[in-house]
Amino acid sequence: MKRIYLDHSATTPVDQRVLEAMLPFLTEEFGNPSSLHSFGRAAKVALEEARQKIASVINASPGEIVFTSGGSEADNLAIAGAARAYRDKGNHLIANRIEHHAVLHIFEELEKEGFEVTYVECDRYGMIEPQTVESAIRPDTILMSIMHVNNEVGTINPIQEIGAIAKNRNILFHTDAVQSFGKLPLDVKIMPFDLMSMSAHKIYGPKGIGALWVRRGVKLTPILYGGSQERGQRAGTENIAGAVGFGKAAELCKLEMAAEMPRLKQLQKLLWNTIQKEIPNVRLNGHPEQRLPGHLNVSFNGAAGDELLIHLDLNGIAVSTGSACTSGAVGLSHVLKGMKIETQYGRGAVRMTMGRSSKEEDIPLIIEALKNSLSKLASE
Ligand SMILES: *Cc1c(COP(=O)(O)O)cnc(C)c1O
C-alpha cells in the first residue's frame, strides 16, 4: 500500500542533503566547540556557519541567534527570560488562547510567579486582530506574544501590525514562528519584533534543535544554568550535528521557498476544491486566504476526527486531529474552542498538511481514502 504523509505541521523527514551535512559531525568531527585545539576549532567553525545560515533566512545578525533544544525551549526562553529580566518595568503580559502549549504553559507558570497575563481572544478564523491586542495593553505591560502561523488551523496572523503596536508602546514582542520560518518571508530588519522562535524538525531538519532570535540589546534571564555557551544565554555543550543540520535545512528552505510555496498553495487549493466537490457537509477551519501554503484543516460533519484519523491510517494516509476525544465540546482542542467552532463540526476536524513529498497524483488516493473511511464510519 502506498503511504501518503499529510502531517508536515507535526514533523518532517530529514532531507537527504541535511543528513549528509550532519554526518561528519557525528563521526570524525566530534570536537567540543569550547575546546581550543583543532578538533574544537573545527566544531566552532561549523557552529558559527550554521548560525550564519539561520540568521540569513530572517536577515538577522548571527550574534542574535541562540541555539536551543527546539521550538518549545525557544518559546520558554523568550517568554520566561524576557518577563523575568524586565520585571522591574512592569508585571503585565499579553498572550492569547490559541498558542502552542509551549507558549501557553510557560505563561501559566509565570502567573504562578505573580505576573498578570491577559489572554486575548481570536476571531472565528483563528486570527488575532491587532485592535484586540491593543485594547489589552496596560501601563505596566512589558511583553506580548502572538504566534505567526497557528499550527492547528494554519491561519497567518497580522504580526507586522501587532508588532508595530508593541513597538509604539515600548513593549517587547515575541512571535512563535515555528510554522512559518523557512516557509514565509521574515525580515527582522523591517519587521517590528524582538524575539522569534524557530525549530529545525518542521523544515526537514533534525528533531531536538531550534533557535531563538533575540534582537540586539534585548536582555534575557537564562532558564538553564551552567557554562557560558551561547553568550551566556543557554548553558550546555552545543548540539553541533543538530545545528549544522538546522543550518543546512534553513539554507535549503531559503533557496527553494519561492518555488515550493506556490506549489504547495496550488496543491492545497486542488485538494480542498476536490474535497468540496466529492464529499458533502465539509467545512474549512481557519482563514480561507490567510493560511500557510499546504495547510488544510477540514471538518467532516457527523464524523469524529480521531475515528476518521484511524480509518485513514488503515488506508495509508497520515493526518492529525486537534480533538483528542469524541464525546463533545470537552474534547475539542484549545484552538478550536478558542475559535468557538460548533461542537458538531469541531469534533470532525482533521488537519492535512502537505510538504516536499506531496504530489498532485496523491489527491485521487486521498479522496478515495476519505470516502471509504467516511462510509465505514457511517455504517458502524
Ligand atoms: C512544533 C511547534 C512548537 C514546538 O517545537 P519543538 O521543536 O517540537 O519543541 C512550537 N510552536 C509551534 C507553533 C509548533 O508548531
Side-chain angles (χ1 to χ4, degrees):
M1 182 174 57
K2 188 177 176 198
R3 292 204 302 166
I4 297 175
Y5 185 74
L6 282 181
D7 205 9
H8 289 82
S9 278
T11 196
T12 54
V14 172
D15 189 290
Q16 186 64 31
R17 297 164 289 180
V18 169
L19 177 66
E20 278 160 24
M22 290 172 71
L23 282 175
F25 298 94
L26 293 164
T27 50
E28 66 267 27
E29 297 292 358
F30 60 85
N32 183 328
S34 297
S35 302
L36 299 177
H37 47 62
S38 67
F39 292 86
R41 290 200 310 274
K44 177 87 180 155
V45 166
L47 181 67
E48 295 315 314
E49 275 176 15
R51 201 186 301 282
Q52 163 66 46
K53 284 176 180 166
I54 292 158
S56 110
V57 177
I58 57 170
N59 200 18
S61 307
E64 296 175 314
I65 301 291
V66 179
F67 283 112
T68 64
S69 65
S72 299
E73 190 191 324
D75 286 337
N76 276 260
L77 176 59
I79 295 161
R84 289 171 188 155
Y86 290 89
R87 188 158 207 179
D88 59 335
K89 302 254 187 298
N91 199 48
H92 181 242
L93 316 169
I94 297 174
N96 66 86
R97 296 262 172 229
I98 62 163
E99 290 286 325
H100 191 275
H101 282 132
V103 167
L104 276 183
H105 290 167
I106 185 62
F107 274 110
E108 286 165 14
E109 279 307 302
L110 291 171
E111 284 185 272
K112 293 181 198 159
E113 285 176 26
F115 284 100
E116 287 175 60
V117 182
T118 301
Y119 297 92
V120 299
E121 302 282 337
C122 65
D123 69 9
R124 67 197 169 107
Y125 297 125
M127 189 176 276
I128 316 285
E129 295 292 348
Q131 309 89 274
T132 323
V133 179
E134 188 155 30
S135 57
I137 294 175
R138 307 194 325 205
D140 60 342
T141 308
I142 54 168
L143 170 72
M144 49 174 79
S145 180
I146 307 288
M147 73 201 311
H148 189 194
V149 170
N150 183 275
N151 45 302
E152 194 176 318
V153 295
T155 301
I156 304 172
N157 278 314
I159 51 167
Q160 176 103 29
E161 283 101 306
I162 296 170
I165 292 167
K167 193 180 170 145
N168 279 339
R169 308 287 192 99
N170 227 353
I171 297 166
L172 291 172
F173 181 57
H174 165 253
T175 190
D176 175 336
V178 170
Q179 289 290 338
S180 59
F181 174 74
K183 301 175 192 167
L184 301 178
L186 284 164
D187 182 337
V188 298
K189 291 258 169 20
I190 54 173
M191 294 172 123
F193 314 147
D194 299 292
L195 298 150
M196 186 194 297
S197 302
M198 300 161 268
S199 178
H201 76 95
K202 305 283 172 78
I203 61 159
Y204 309 90
K207 293 167 184 62
I209 180 96
L212 179 66
W213 167 74
V214 185
R215 184 180 292 285
R216 179 165 297 135
V218 173
K219 285 181 204 53
L220 295 179
T221 300
I223 55 172
L224 214 57
Y225 292 86
S228 59
Q229 291 93 348
E230 301 297 292
R231 296 168 178 246
Q233 292 170 111
R234 204 273 184 179
T237 302
E238 300 87 339
N239 175 359
I240 301 300
V244 168
F246 190 10
K248 185 70 188 178
E251 180 181 62
L252 292 171
C253 283
K254 187 184 175 189
L255 283 171
E256 294 171 4
M257 190 190 293
E260 180 67 352
M261 289 307 119
R263 189 186 80 86
L264 287 178
K265 195 166 194 146
Q266 202 52 42
L267 279 180
Q268 164 208 311
K269 277 205 180 125
L270 190 60
L271 178 57
W272 174 229
N273 288 341
T274 320
I275 289 174
Q276 280 176 293
K277 218 164 34 189
E278 303 276 334
I279 300 168
N281 287 323
V282 292
R283 195 164 97 172
L284 184 70
N285 300 312
H287 202 281
E289 280 97 39
Q290 290 301 313
R291 57 186 309 118
L292 185 70
H295 194 303
L296 278 178
N297 186 309
V298 179
S299 280
F300 296 87
N301 192 11
D306 52 358
E307 290 174 2
L308 186 51
L309 179 152
I310 292 166
H311 279 278
L312 286 171
D313 191 39
L314 293 171
N315 285 278
I317 314 282
V319 300
S320 73
T321 159
S323 58
C325 157
T326 54
S327 58
V330 283
L332 293 195
S333 72
H334 68 290
V335 176
L336 296 177
K337 272 191 206 158
M339 289 163 61
K340 303 192 169 64
I341 300 279
E342 300 92 310
T343 307
Q344 110 218 42
Y345 279 102
R347 64 194 284 273
V350 165
R351 180 180 75 176
M352 293 172 272
T353 46
M354 293 178 273
R356 280 187 195 154
S357 63
S358 305
K359 294 189 185 63
E360 193 173 327
E361 69 213 46
D362 299 342
I363 290 178
L365 300 171
I366 299 167
I367 298 293
E368 196 188 289
L370 276 169
K371 282 183 170 171
N372 276 342
S373 305
L374 286 164
S375 72
K376 276 249 175 56
L377 282 177
S379 68
E380 266 170 14

